[in-house]
Amino acid sequence: MPGEIGIMVTSPGGLMGTIADGLLQGCKQGDLSAYEDLYSSHAGRMKSIAFHLLGNRSEAEDAVQETFLRIYRAVPNFDGPSGFDAWMYRILINCCYDAARKRRRQAEMELTADPAVPTSVPLRIALEKALARIHSAHRMVFWLFEVEGFRHSEIAGILEIPEGTSRKWLFEAKRDLKRLLTEVRS
Amino acid sequence: MKFECKDLERCLEVPELMADASEHARDCAACRRELWIWSEMSNVASSLREQWDTPELWPKIQAQLAAQPKRKPVRRLDWRLLGAVAALLLVAAAGALSWYQTRSHPRSAPSSDFLTEQTLREVEQAEQSYARSIDKLSKLAQPKIENAGTPLIAAYREKLVLLDSAIADMKSSVGQNRFNTHLQLELAALYKQKQETLQEIVRREQKN
């Protein structure tokens, strides 16, 4: 789902999964098979998140490609192994943020988007439309938790926010979505 | 506690209270509907995940990574080492100046007034040099501070504002009493704090 990204994420240091030492060393040494392992494990999720943020598959793939390039360049400075996954997803989100900023038409899409949630469409489509109308940070947490299946501790690592904030934003996202969905359906 | 409809939202915020809400919803159609929407959002959300095959993506990434220049070990700037070298140079310069002046005026014993004035001048010169170095460091950290995207960087920015204000106050006090060693030391300590804060911001930037 296209949408502005309200969170600028910056540096490593999260709580997420610990990368195997060998894999991290492989990445640091520029071993492409190590990157292939990373790609196999994470590309699906990365593409989905990028698609959510950029709104089309082609740009999502470009963002994933750019993410691997930035990881390749930055990993020698990464003081792992803990927090590697969170760091990687932060880079992905930053890549999407950069791509979205370059795209002027993105702002136009935001402005011209039809705010009405149609009553006759299935809940899935209504939810997608309602998601576009809630606070971008809340939407990001909702997406990572409910769609991508990250835990609050992992989201906290990716977005560099306290775990309690992640829980609160999820609640606020769901509360706003419920209100939007109920308004239209009642 | 008797559960009422108005308690529903609080229960949704605290998952541990959901059992009470469910119990209440058995006899309350409105709350039952609210709860259904709440859980259905989670059920439907998982179907929003976008998945598609991209057999050509990894070969593209692989080719791009392979085309990257071979890595050299990255050497980070060691600010402590640079600071130590700068301090050493400062001491050496002060020593050389003192030696030169002793050699230039070997017979005339300088008055104590002159010594005090001379020492103060050296302190002020060192302070100006230190302040210039910190200004350079500020310029390095400026883009990061201006785009404070995280609470941490925002906190650093706040701290720098406070330090700048304290430095300005202290300089004003020093200006009124230039020979006060205590004030000079306080000012130096504030500069040091600012230097350390800026270094921390720059280090974080380099890590990213």
Side-chain angles (χ1 to χ4, degrees):
Chain A
M1 174 165 306
E4 86 283 7
I5 303 163
I7 301 159
M8 184 70 182
V9 284
T10 50
S11 62
L15 304 166
M16 215 178 169
T18 297
I19 186 175
D21 267 344
L23 189 56
L24 180 58
Q25 284 314 313
C27 288
K28 287 192 172 197
Q29 287 160 10
D31 175 3
L32 293 184
S33 65
Y35 285 93
E36 191 166 6
D37 287 348
L38 270 189
Y39 179 86
S40 304
S41 309
H42 295 281
R45 224 175 191 184
M46 285 177 149
K47 282 188 292 182
S48 178
I49 293 172
F51 178 82
H52 158 62
L53 294 170
L54 293 167
N56 75 66
R57 291 181 171 185
S58 166
E59 287 191 53
E61 290 172 22
D62 288 347
V64 172
Q65 186 174 348
E66 175 66 18
T67 300
F68 272 87
L69 187 60
R70 289 193 194 179
I71 292 170
Y72 184 90
R73 288 173 178 162
V75 79
N77 294 326
F78 179 78
D79 300 325
S82 107
F84 184 81
D85 288 2
W87 177 68
M88 200 166 62
Y89 281 98
R90 276 204 295 277
I91 291 176
L92 172 72
I93 292 173
N94 275 339
C95 285
C96 294
Y97 179 78
D98 292 345
R101 268 204 309 200
K102 282 178 193 163
R103 216 174 31 167
R104 280 180 177 264
R105 66 185 167 85
Q106 177 72 23
E108 292 162 12
M109 283 168 67
E110 291 286 323
L111 290 173
T112 56
D114 179 7
V117 180
T119 55
S120 58
V121 294
L123 184 58
R124 182 186 190 278
I125 298 172
L127 183 61
E128 272 186 316
K129 286 185 177 288
L131 266 171
R133 297 175 62 194
I134 66 172
H135 190 284
S136 57
H138 299 171
R139 179 169 63 235
M140 190 74 222
V141 170
F142 179 88
W143 192 273
L144 292 176
F145 187 89
E146 297 286 7
V147 182
E148 302 300 338
F150 286 104
R151 294 188 298 271
H152 283 298
S153 58
E154 294 170 329
I155 295 169
I158 294 170
L159 301 182
E160 294 187 303
I161 55 176
E163 203 174 316
T165 304
S166 174
R167 289 179 195 283
K168 188 166 180 291
W169 286 0
L170 176 67
F171 166 74
E172 286 172 6
K174 291 182 81 172
R175 185 194 58 198
D176 293 345
L177 289 170
K178 179 169 71 71
R179 181 178 51 74
L180 290 168
L181 293 170
T182 313
E183 261 174 19
V184 169
R185 286 170 177 261
S186 59
Chain B
M1 182 194 94
K2 179 163 168 42
F3 190 95
E4 293 177 21
C5 297
K6 65 179 171 57
D7 298 322
L8 184 66
E9 188 155 305
R10 193 167 55 86
C11 288
L12 297 175
E13 191 170 5
V14 185
E16 289 77 15
L17 301 177
M18 195 59 94
D20 292 340
S22 302
E23 181 71 27
H24 165 80
R26 281 185 196 166
D27 302 320
C28 175
C31 289
R32 196 160 55 240
R33 185 161 166 276
E34 292 285 294
L35 280 179
W36 178 81
I37 292 177
W38 196 264
S39 65
E40 200 59 12
M41 274 191 294
S42 298
N43 295 336
V44 173
S46 57
S47 72
L48 295 179
R49 188 168 190 191
E50 192 72 18
Q51 287 176 304
W52 71 98
D53 288 333
T54 49
E56 76 296 346
L57 183 55
W58 170 246
K60 269 168 70 181
I61 293 172
Q62 191 177 30
Q64 192 178 27
L65 297 186
Q68 292 299 302
K70 288 287 170 198
R71 289 203 184 103
K72 290 175 186 169
V74 178
R75 292 194 64 184
R76 293 191 205 166
L77 280 175
D78 188 337
W79 291 101
R80 283 185 190 170
L81 185 64
L82 284 179
V85 169
L88 203 63
L89 286 175
L90 206 62
V91 169
L97 188 67
S98 168
W99 175 79
Y100 174 77
Q101 282 171 345
T102 311
R103 293 262 303 181
S104 305
H105 310 283
R107 289 179 192 170
S108 60
S111 72
S112 59
D113 284 344
F114 173 80
L115 273 177
T116 309
E117 193 62 47
Q118 177 67 26
T119 307
L120 180 62
R121 251 203 314 274
E122 283 172 16
V123 168
E124 286 175 344
Q125 279 169 358
E127 181 207 313
Q128 283 163 9
S129 165
Y130 195 31
R132 276 197 298 274
S133 303
I134 291 175
D135 281 346
K136 283 180 191 167
L137 199 52
S138 285
K139 280 176 191 153
L140 273 178
Q142 200 58 33
K144 177 83 176 162
I145 297 166
E146 280 173 359
N147 302 321
T150 63
L152 183 64
I153 295 297
Y156 278 134
R157 189 170 58 191
E158 292 283 313
K159 186 177 174 186
L160 286 170
V161 169
L162 285 174
L163 282 171
D164 283 340
S165 166
I167 286 170
D169 286 349
M170 191 56 70
K171 279 170 94 169
S172 163
S173 303
V174 169
Q176 289 163 11
N177 190 357
R178 293 168 65 227
F179 294 93
N180 188 319
T181 313
H182 175 70
L183 291 180
Q184 294 282 10
L185 286 173
E186 287 283 306
L187 182 60
L190 286 171
Y191 274 127
K192 188 165 189 302
Q193 271 193 54
K194 183 175 178 181
Q195 176 200 351
E196 285 169 355
T197 306
L198 289 166
Q199 283 171 359
E200 184 60 29
I201 293 169
V202 171
R203 260 200 297 273
R204 283 186 169 272
E205 173 71 5
Q206 285 172 343
K207 269 188 178 179
N208 195 37

